[in-house]
Amino acid sequence: MLSFQSSKNVLSLTEDLLVRIYELLAAESDRKSFRLVCREFRRIDSLTRRHLRVIRIEFLPILLRKYPRLQSLDLSACPRIDDGVVSLLLTRVGPGSNSPSLGHWAWGLKSLVLSRATGLRFSGLEMLTRACPCLESVDVSYCCGFGDREAAALSSAVGLRELNMDKCLQLTDVGLAKIAVGCSKLEKLSLKWCMEITDLGIDLLCKKCVDLKYLDVSYLKVTNESLHSIASLLKLEVLGLMACPLIDDVGLQFIERGCPSLKVIDVSRCEGVSSSGLIYVVRGHRNLLELNAGYCLSELSTALLHQMKNLNHLEVIRIDGARISETSFQVISANCKSLVEIGLSKCVGVTNMGIMRLVSACINLRVLNLTCCHSITDTAISAIAYSCRSLVCLKLESCNMITEKGLCQLGSFCLLLEEIDLTDCCGVNDKGLEYLSRCSELSCLKLGLCTNISNKGLSYIGSNCLKIHELDLYRCTGIGDDGLEALSNGCKKLRKLNLSYCNAVSDRGLAYIGRLEELSDLEMRALHKITGVGLEAVAVGCKKLADLDMKHCEKVGDSGFWALAYYSKNLRQINLSYCGISDMALCMVMGNLSRLQEAKLVHLSNSTVEGVELALRACCARIKKVKLFAPLRFMLSSEILEILHARGCIIRWD
Amino acid sequence: MDLKERVCDELQKEVPKGASSTNFNTQHQQKWEDPSSTLDYSTRIEPPFQAFNQTCQTQSLLLCNNQIKVPMQDGSINDLLQQASKIQDWDPSAMLNNLSFLEQKIHQLQDLVYLIIAQKGQVLGRPDELLVQQQQLVTADLTSIIIQLISTAGSLLSSVKQTLSAATTSLGQCGEFGGVVFPSSAQRLNDGVQPQNAGGSKVSEPQNSIDITSNNGNEQNNHIVEEHELKDEEDAEEGENLLPGTYEILQLEKEEILAPHTHFCTICGKGFKRDANLRMHMRGHGDKYKTPGALAKPTKESSSEPTIIKRYSCPYAGCKRNKDHKKFQPLKTILCVKNHYKRTHCDKSYICSRCNTKKFSVIADLKTHEKHCGKDKWLCSCGTTFSRKDKLFGHITLFQGHTPAIPSDEIKVAPAGTSDGATNKVGSVNFNLSSYVSSESEVQSSSMDIKGGIDDAVGYFSPLSFDTCNFGGFHEFPRPPFDDSESSFAFLLSRSCNYSQKSGEE
């Protein structure tokens, strides 16, 4: 806290100095504190703020008026945005009004995130692109209803450089052609899951947008023809071809001869690609930085390995699911010395000796994925810990042979470790956690299915790893309320917690969870001991709770749900399946939680059809995804189903 | 240059042909089929080489409206052309003897023709008795030369059958070809052969080209280059890479191409499109035409003989399909020639009755179009329609700024998705348990227009919580533990402004 004297000094600072100070504040929470100091500070904030992520659309007009110099607007958290809202934002306040014209906010806007804005259609989008002449980046990913008309609307943004259209399911070649012709300056384009796109569209794109640096066509049904077109892109650096089933080695031959600037290529899960295809790629691009070939190789062949010797700049390689020999590790470590990340998930043939050879030279390794490499023991972990001091992320899921000895080495040498996945490593015990807790930078810890850990082990984590924000305790049956107490005392920054099937947790434990103010994701399936009291404590305490999964929490009564409906205003996703929620409480939860987007409402034992209908009516304007009991399909009124459909809500029947 | 002199000249230069010679040879062979050089003396004879038999001569006469003075000569030249391909195997020494004999003979003839020219200069324009006699003399001499030449050439080539069959099958047609038979072995002989068209264009004189333009003046008006959507025979041979000189180039005249019939009855003169139809017709002229032999399809020569590939040239000068064009691409069949000529150089007289916009010069194209007319769903922003997506995309690639147009029928679909006004209202519908169905009419009647909803701004930005609802039906339920439930519903409305500053953003 500032003393009176110093605060006077601070307040006497000139505006430009205040702006400078403000710009040095990196964290959003710090900026929030800054603007809460006084009116002058708030004015500085409103004048200098460039980026805004809106959570509640009802405040959007006020916020836009407050921050006139926005360059980046993120509306992905308000899926309720639709054409009407856009029209209002752009036209409502005319010149006659005493407040500054609302249209102004759009003039300087460069970046617009409309991800999951399923309510928006082409007319709204067109208004937006027209109103924002400086628009350079648009994200409309996961707007599943978007198609050619929306693409046409986007194509009027001629200055567009970055466009993300992932999962715009209705987009066809025609829409892509619109964008290719309209936005010829495009540098980055992502078309994942735009399943209607064919070679024709890609070909036209490559001819019209020659400045493309980043192109992602993952999951598309494009063929080698597309690769032939893509190969002509001289500036292309990143190419995503994940899970393109029709692409094969012949297509990669085009890439060998083309794309001179290629740095990153992802051919993972491409069924048709084999190691000869990768040989073409590697042979043509000696300066490759990242090669992602997960689940497309059966074996890391010697021929490919021979070519990989030339990749001296390679930083990232992922060969998940391939068979690999010990000598291969030798070759990789001898030649690819700048490797930063290596992914060996589910690789066959990964042995202690192989890993030791690998880490002997690749000392810069920061990310190592050894998921399901079952034959790894403490020996390999020790070698990793000793060689790779800058290791940040280590994934050891299902490495059953690892014991506290390995964790001891990690805790001694890898002090920069931030993320470790020990899911299903039954060798991990309390002692191991004690060693591991020496990694004080740890932010993500996954201990799912580690049945040998208890409250004692968790208390080490709670007392030492204060930066943890994600903790997975799935089916850690040894964990009880005491462990959660220790956790809530130390890990105040916890954002994501999985307590599913930790049967010992009771209402008292949830009361401790309620102390975690930052918590946003809580999964607590099948906690049979908890009641409404526990849920109430969580709802009251965890203000930021956004995702709650309480499937099979059968003892929770209406009092808990009422509390949820009243306090958890930020809740976005909820799973209430197999809960004993009543009609009344269901309507309250669904109606009052104004940010709710996704709900799973299967097998609600105490609810009736009318209750579900009413609940859906209460939330139909904003809900985006709902899972319902299949027989309800014929029991709910067709009207509500039509409304939900019209709003772009996806209903899953179970 | 006079015809006879020219003929002599040609024959003279024809001589070394049998010997192992060369581009010089081919260049001059080229002259024979060069339409421009043909047109050079077309004031007198047009088309040349047509008097193969009486029928086709008459036909040609009808078509050309020309007086033909030296039919025999033409016939013999034609004969020569036909026979020139007879040469099968050659004995160099025997051939040399023959050739020197021919050379002598040709020199004699040359002198005679010089003489005629000299006389002609004096008695210009007057068909003299003497001139006719001299012509006959020349003809006789030429005939003997030709026969000699043929027998000489016969040892070299063996492709008579090809031309003979052409002569028999298409009686009328053979007169139409201004063709030269290129020996299939020519490639072997003329290793250094130049592209024919290059040679041909060298030979043509500027004066000729003037002739052509005046001749084809009316055609040029109709000259419309257009993109053929239909894949036809022309397209099919685009990729063909025949070496120049390995095939025979034939060129039909415009009139022949446009003639409705190509097969004529020698007795009554009736025309037919197909030879088979003519043969059927001939049965009516007597029993002799009813024999199986007369009715049978004229047999093609046994396939053991190497066949000369025939290709066709378009008579339209400057056309890519014309043999004088630098990048000459020959046409494969007579049908190709006809379709090409009509499509490219003729009026489009067939108009589609459905769309009244598309015009065609080949009726088959119209029929093909009519099958798809109205189904052209691929539309460009420039208004052009395409039946196929790849054609549209090719068009867009080619033209700057053109984009595919999205069919307008989608507009009707789109507002259904934008019926947000409707759903918003539903969100704030009175939630009486009994009456929720009643809002159905409201959904339908609510305006589809976005701007219509603007007045209801509060509705757009309201949190859509139960605060706008009537909870009449809920009062029977036991009170929840939170007694301040009513204020909780009002929470957002009453304090929304403060709220916005605290947590309306992240």
Side-chain angles (χ1 to χ4, degrees):
Chain A
M1 269 283 121
L2 300 164
S3 71
F4 177 73
Q5 193 61 42
S6 63
S7 74
K8 193 182 174 189
N9 288 341
V10 165
L11 289 172
S12 62
L13 288 172
T14 57
E15 188 178 301
D16 57 326
L17 284 174
L18 282 174
V19 168
R20 279 201 178 182
I21 293 169
Y22 176 80
E23 280 168 351
L24 289 173
L25 299 174
E28 187 50 46
S29 56
D30 294 341
R31 295 192 167 195
K32 193 171 180 178
S33 312
F34 180 88
R35 64 175 167 264
L36 289 173
V37 171
C38 62
R39 280 176 184 278
E40 176 65 10
F41 278 34
R42 211 178 90 193
R43 199 178 63 83
I44 298 296
D45 171 64
S46 67
L47 281 179
T48 37
R49 188 161 183 155
R50 297 282 180 268
H51 174 78
L52 180 66
R53 183 168 188 262
V54 186
I55 292 177
R56 289 174 182 277
I57 197 165
E58 52 267 30
F59 306 127
L60 188 55
I62 305 164
L63 289 170
L64 290 178
R65 207 175 297 152
K66 206 170 127 189
Y67 298 111
R69 297 194 185 171
L70 282 182
Q71 287 185 351
S72 163
L73 180 62
D74 185 347
L75 296 173
S76 60
C78 348
R80 274 176 57 206
I81 190 161
D82 56 35
D83 295 352
V85 172
V86 170
S87 165
L88 276 172
L89 291 175
L90 293 170
T91 59
R92 189 173 140 222
V93 184
S97 169
N98 51 5
S99 57
S101 173
L102 265 179
H104 273 294
W105 63 267
W107 291 357
L109 212 60
K110 286 183 178 168
S111 167
L112 189 57
V113 180
L114 294 167
S115 185
R116 294 178 205 276
T118 43
L120 205 61
R121 282 292 179 272
F122 68 94
S123 54
L125 211 53
E126 199 168 351
M127 280 187 271
L128 269 177
T129 48
R130 290 248 170 87
C132 308
C134 304
L135 214 52
E136 285 180 1
S137 164
V138 174
D139 183 350
V140 289
S141 54
Y142 301 97
C143 295
C144 300
F146 274 25
D148 295 342
R149 301 209 143 260
E150 285 73 21
L154 282 172
S155 70
S156 56
V158 288
L160 213 58
R161 291 180 195 277
E162 294 183 11
L163 180 59
N164 187 343
M165 298 202 78
D166 290 353
K167 221 160 191 176
C168 291
L169 293 175
Q170 314 294 320
L171 184 73
T172 70
D173 290 341
V174 172
L176 185 60
K178 281 271 182 196
I179 287 169
V181 174
C183 317
S184 53
K185 292 177 185 166
L186 218 53
E187 287 173 8
K188 184 174 175 180
L189 179 63
S190 185
L191 294 169
K192 273 183 200 159
W193 292 293
C194 297
M195 303 305 280
E196 304 290 318
I197 301 284
T198 69
D199 293 336
L200 275 177
I202 299 293
D203 183 55
L204 187 77
L205 178 76
C206 296
K207 280 176 181 150
K208 296 283 182 185
C209 302
V210 290
D211 291 335
L212 272 178
K213 287 181 182 161
Y214 177 109
L215 180 62
D216 195 337
V217 293
S218 297
Y219 303 97
L220 299 197
K221 298 257 187 313
V222 294
T223 68
N224 294 334
E225 283 296 306
S226 285
L227 287 184
H228 187 237
S229 316
I230 288 169
S232 66
L233 291 171
L234 298 177
K235 295 181 181 174
L236 195 73
E237 290 172 7
V238 183
L239 177 59
L241 299 170
M242 195 174 173
C244 293
L246 304 178
I247 278 172
D248 59 28
D249 299 342
V250 181
L252 292 178
Q253 223 168 342
F254 297 124
I255 300 294
E256 178 193 0
R257 286 179 236 124
C259 299
S261 318
L262 197 68
K263 297 270 186 293
V264 178
I265 187 165
D266 185 347
V267 290
S268 53
R269 293 174 202 273
C270 288
E271 292 160 21
V273 171
S274 73
S275 50
S276 56
L278 283 173
I279 288 170
Y280 295 133
V281 173
V282 170
R283 199 162 58 197
H285 302 280
R286 295 282 159 88
N287 294 322
L288 215 59
L289 294 182
E290 186 175 335
L291 176 64
N292 195 340
Y295 304 106
C296 67
L297 291 179
S298 59
E299 188 177 13
L300 191 65
S301 65
T302 45
L304 176 57
L305 211 60
H306 183 72
Q307 288 294 331
M308 278 174 55
K309 281 180 187 172
N310 300 313
L311 297 177
N312 297 320
H313 303 286
L314 195 70
E315 288 178 358
V316 179
I317 182 167
R318 297 190 194 101
I319 46 168
D320 303 350
R323 176 181 293 277
I324 185 165
S325 65
E326 280 176 17
T327 48
S328 310
F329 285 113
Q330 183 92 51
V331 176
I332 292 174
S333 69
N335 295 289
C336 309
K337 291 216 166 69
S338 45
L339 267 183
V340 169
E341 177 179 346
I342 182 159
L344 298 167
S345 170
K346 298 192 181 177
C347 280
V348 184
V350 179
T351 59
N352 284 339
M353 187 55 81
I355 293 295
M356 283 158 79
R357 284 181 177 173
L358 179 75
V359 296
S360 63
C362 298
I363 52 170
N364 296 320
L365 226 49
R366 287 162 59 82
V367 181
L368 184 55
N369 187 348
L370 294 171
T371 301
C372 295
C373 295
H374 300 290
S375 48
I376 293 292
T377 69
D378 291 331
T379 322
I381 302 298
S382 303
I384 292 167
Y386 191 74
S387 302
C388 312
R389 300 292 173 94
S390 50
L391 201 68
V392 170
C393 174
L394 181 61
K395 296 193 175 176
L396 298 169
E397 185 181 337
S398 284
C399 295
N400 290 313
M401 318 243 273
I402 291 169
T403 67
E404 70 264 25
K405 284 177 199 158
L407 297 180
C408 179
Q409 296 293 316
L410 284 175
S412 307
F413 298 110
C414 298
L415 297 177
L416 298 175
L417 202 65
E418 289 176 16
E419 184 180 348
I420 186 162
D421 186 348
L422 294 168
T423 305
D424 205 10
C425 295
C426 48
V428 176
N429 53 22
D430 289 343
K431 195 74 185 160
L433 286 186
E434 188 184 357
Y435 292 131
L436 196 63
S437 68
R438 281 187 253 165
C439 301
S440 55
E441 295 292 316
L442 215 56
S443 65
C444 176
L445 176 60
K446 293 190 177 172
L447 296 168
L449 296 161
C450 293
T451 44
N452 293 327
I453 59 169
S454 70
N455 293 330
K456 194 181 167 197
L458 205 57
S459 66
Y460 294 124
I461 299 294
S463 51
N464 293 321
C465 304
L466 305 182
K467 291 187 178 175
I468 280 210
H469 63 71
E470 182 176 351
L471 181 61
D472 186 352
L473 297 171
Y474 176 82
R475 282 190 201 269
C476 291
T477 43
I479 299 293
D481 297 337
D482 295 333
L484 295 180
E485 184 182 6
L487 201 67
S488 66
N489 285 332
C491 307
K492 291 288 185 192
K493 296 197 172 170
L494 205 63
R495 292 204 296 263
K496 198 170 175 181
L497 179 62
N498 191 341
L499 287 176
S500 295
Y501 304 98
C502 297
N503 300 322
V505 175
S506 71
D507 284 343
R508 187 168 68 91
L510 285 193
Y512 295 125
I513 299 293
R515 294 194 210 162
L516 301 167
E517 291 187 354
E518 296 288 320
L519 197 70
S520 66
D521 285 39
L522 178 60
E523 192 179 321
M524 45 179 215
R525 288 187 178 183
L527 299 187
H528 296 301
K529 286 186 183 174
I530 63 162
T531 66
V533 180
L535 184 59
E536 191 186 324
V538 170
V540 172
C542 307
K543 293 279 186 206
K544 292 192 173 174
L545 198 64
D547 188 347
L548 178 65
D549 189 338
M550 44 187 300
K551 191 177 173 181
H552 280 296
C553 289
E554 281 126 359
K555 283 194 182 157
V556 177
D558 272 5
S559 65
F561 293 114
W562 279 99
L564 201 67
Y566 181 50
Y567 290 109
S568 297
K569 293 290 181 187
N570 287 315
L571 211 59
R572 267 181 293 179
Q573 292 187 38
I574 192 164
N575 187 346
L576 295 173
S577 300
Y578 298 94
C579 286
I581 190 169
S582 70
D583 285 347
M584 186 65 193
L586 185 63
C587 290
M588 285 303 296
V589 167
M590 300 296 282
N592 216 24
L593 296 178
S594 54
R595 283 190 63 199
L596 201 65
Q597 290 175 30
E598 187 182 336
K600 290 179 178 161
L601 308 171
V602 189
H603 297 290
L604 305 177
S605 51
N606 285 343
S607 299
T608 61
V609 179
E610 288 77 16
V612 175
E613 167 105 21
L614 207 60
L616 291 175
R617 278 176 183 280
C619 65
C620 63
R622 71 183 102 85
I623 197 92
K624 289 296 161 195
K625 206 170 174 181
V626 63
K627 187 175 170 184
L628 295 171
F629 189 44
L632 283 180
R633 175 185 289 209
F634 308 104
M635 292 149 99
L636 294 171
S637 71
S638 59
E639 180 203 346
I640 182 68
L641 298 181
E642 278 168 22
I643 293 167
L644 287 172
H645 181 73
R647 292 292 314 205
C649 174
I650 299 163
I651 307 177
R652 220 179 106 197
W653 302 99
D654 188 58
Chain B
M1 200 193 282
D2 191 279
L3 170 70
K4 281 175 197 167
E5 183 200 337
R6 194 182 182 110
V7 166
C8 296
D9 198 30
E10 302 296 353
L11 286 173
Q12 208 175 13
K13 283 161 185 170
E14 200 72 31
V15 173
K17 180 184 166 190
S20 61
S21 151
T22 62
N23 49 359
F24 164 78
N25 194 354
T26 39
Q27 272 188 27
H28 287 272
Q29 277 188 322
Q30 188 66 37
K31 276 192 181 178
W32 288 89
E33 40 153 331
D34 188 355
S36 47
S37 53
T38 307
L39 286 163
D40 186 18
Y41 40 85
S42 64
T43 42
R44 288 205 294 155
I45 304 153
E46 187 188 70
F49 325 132
Q50 61 180 323
F52 192 64
N53 64 33
Q54 200 55 40
T55 353
C56 80
Q57 190 187 16
T58 48
Q59 185 210 339
S60 308
L61 276 170
L62 283 171
L63 289 165
C64 304
N65 270 339
N66 246 318
Q67 73 271 47
I68 293 167
K69 291 184 181 173
V70 281
M72 258 315 283
Q73 188 189 31
D74 287 338
S76 59
I77 292 167
N78 205 357
D79 214 359
L80 159 81
L81 298 173
Q82 306 284 332
Q83 301 291 319
S85 55
K86 260 187 182 170
I87 308 159
Q88 280 171 338
D89 301 312
W90 59 294
D91 177 10
S93 57
M95 180 159 286
L96 196 61
N97 286 336
N98 288 333
L99 289 176
S100 42
F101 170 72
L102 273 170
E103 197 175 8
Q104 273 186 341
K105 211 57 172 152
I106 286 167
H107 274 298
Q108 287 174 9
L109 195 59
Q110 206 172 9
D111 292 339
L112 181 61
V113 177
Y114 272 131
L115 189 68
I116 295 171
I117 293 167
Q119 287 173 348
K120 196 185 162 192
Q122 295 157 11
V123 290
L124 190 68
R126 191 159 50 90
D128 199 333
E129 188 70 25
L130 179 67
L131 192 66
V132 175
Q133 282 176 357
Q134 278 171 333
Q135 275 182 350
Q136 280 167 353
L137 191 65
V138 171
T139 310
D141 271 4
L142 264 177
T143 315
S144 77
I145 290 170
I146 286 160
I147 289 164
Q148 183 66 37
L149 186 62
I150 287 164
S151 65
T152 312
S155 63
L156 193 65
L157 261 192
S158 62
S159 308
V160 207
K161 289 162 184 173
Q162 205 63 33
T163 31
L164 278 180
S165 69
T168 47
T169 50
S170 50
L171 286 172
Q173 278 176 16
C174 60
E176 300 165 11
F177 306 148
V180 160
V181 177
F182 275 76
S184 61
S185 56
Q187 211 184 340
R188 177 165 53 89
L189 289 171
N190 313 337
D191 270 339
V193 75
Q194 281 182 0
Q196 297 178 347
N197 26 16
S201 57
K202 267 183 219 163
V203 174
S204 66
E205 298 157 32
Q207 177 196 343
N208 299 339
S209 56
I210 295 160
D211 277 351
I212 292 157
T213 43
S214 62
N215 212 22
N216 299 340
N218 60 331
E219 292 166 10
Q220 264 185 342
N221 297 335
N222 310 333
H223 180 99
I224 303 153
V225 180
E226 57 145 14
E227 179 204 358
H228 289 295
E229 286 173 34
L230 308 158
K231 185 172 172 66
D232 54 24
E233 300 86 340
E234 290 177 41
D235 295 335
E237 65 171 313
E238 286 293 356
E240 195 181 49
N241 278 324
L242 285 175
L243 280 174
T246 57
Y247 53 93
E248 170 192 13
I249 299 175
L250 303 168
Q251 181 167 297
L252 281 74
E253 289 307 316
K254 172 196 164 196
E255 287 78 7
E256 276 98 344
I257 290 171
L258 297 178
H261 303 132
T262 46
H263 305 272
F264 291 89
C265 174
T266 47
I267 296 162
C268 66
K270 190 174 181 195
F272 297 91
K273 276 185 181 169
R274 291 186 180 83
D275 182 49
N277 293 351
L278 172 63
R279 274 182 273 126
M280 288 297 129
H281 163 83
M282 291 306 280
R283 290 180 304 177
H285 288 303
D287 284 341
K288 59 179 173 176
Y289 296 108
K290 289 179 183 170
T291 60
L295 283 171
K297 197 177 177 183
T299 50
K300 289 195 172 174
E301 294 303 319
S302 59
S303 55
S304 62
E305 304 271 342
T307 52
I308 290 183
I309 307 165
K310 278 192 288 182
R311 289 295 178 263
Y312 298 84
S313 159
C314 169
Y316 193 91
C319 172
K320 201 179 183 183
R321 304 295 192 169
N322 184 281
K323 58 182 181 265
D324 290 341
H325 193 275
K326 274 182 196 164
K327 294 177 182 171
F328 171 54
Q329 286 187 321
L331 293 153
K332 233 176 191 172
T333 63
I334 295 171
L335 191 67
C336 290
V337 178
K338 291 190 168 200
N339 283 342
H340 160 79
Y341 195 86
K342 284 180 191 166
R343 280 175 188 148
T344 324
H345 310 300
C346 291
D347 258 340
K348 295 180 181 179
S349 46
Y350 303 108
I351 302 171
C352 173
S353 54
R354 287 195 209 174
C355 60
N356 273 323
T357 48
K358 280 272 184 184
K359 295 176 181 178
F360 301 92
S361 44
V362 176
I363 195 154
D365 291 355
L366 173 69
K367 283 176 182 166
T368 315
H369 162 78
E370 278 178 336
K371 277 185 205 160
H372 304 283
C373 184
K375 291 177 192 167
D376 279 0
K377 52 179 182 171
W378 300 105
L379 177 68
C380 177
S381 55
C382 67
T384 321
T385 57
F386 299 87
S387 58
R388 279 163 49 180
K389 191 171 155 190
D390 54 332
K391 297 286 176 192
L392 168 67
F393 276 67
H395 169 86
I396 287 164
T397 315
L398 208 59
F399 294 96
Q400 203 75 37
H402 288 209
T403 62
I406 295 163
S408 55
D409 55 353
E410 270 184 42
I411 296 169
K412 289 167 195 160
V413 182
T418 58
S419 59
D420 310 308
T423 43
N424 261 339
K425 286 191 181 172
V426 174
S428 55
V429 135
N430 288 340
F431 277 87
N432 293 323
L433 272 172
S434 53
S435 67
Y436 56 82
V437 191
S438 67
S439 60
E440 190 174 346
S441 59
E442 203 171 343
V443 176
Q444 284 164 351
S445 64
S446 61
S447 88
M448 295 283 151
D449 186 9
I450 302 144
K451 289 193 176 154
I454 288 171
D455 303 331
D456 188 24
V458 186
Y460 275 110
F461 296 109
S462 80
L464 288 185
S465 50
F466 269 24
D467 48 14
T468 50
C469 301
N470 174 11
F471 276 91
F474 287 132
H475 284 302
E476 273 74 37
F477 287 90
R479 286 302 256 178
F482 300 97
D483 252 353
D484 53 347
S485 61
E486 271 173 0
S487 68
S488 82
F489 296 137
F491 171 76
L492 276 165
L493 268 194
S494 58
R495 275 181 282 170
S496 62
C497 290
N498 293 335
Y499 198 85
S500 78
Q501 285 152 14
K502 283 171 186 166
S503 56
E505 54 205 67
E506 248 177 29

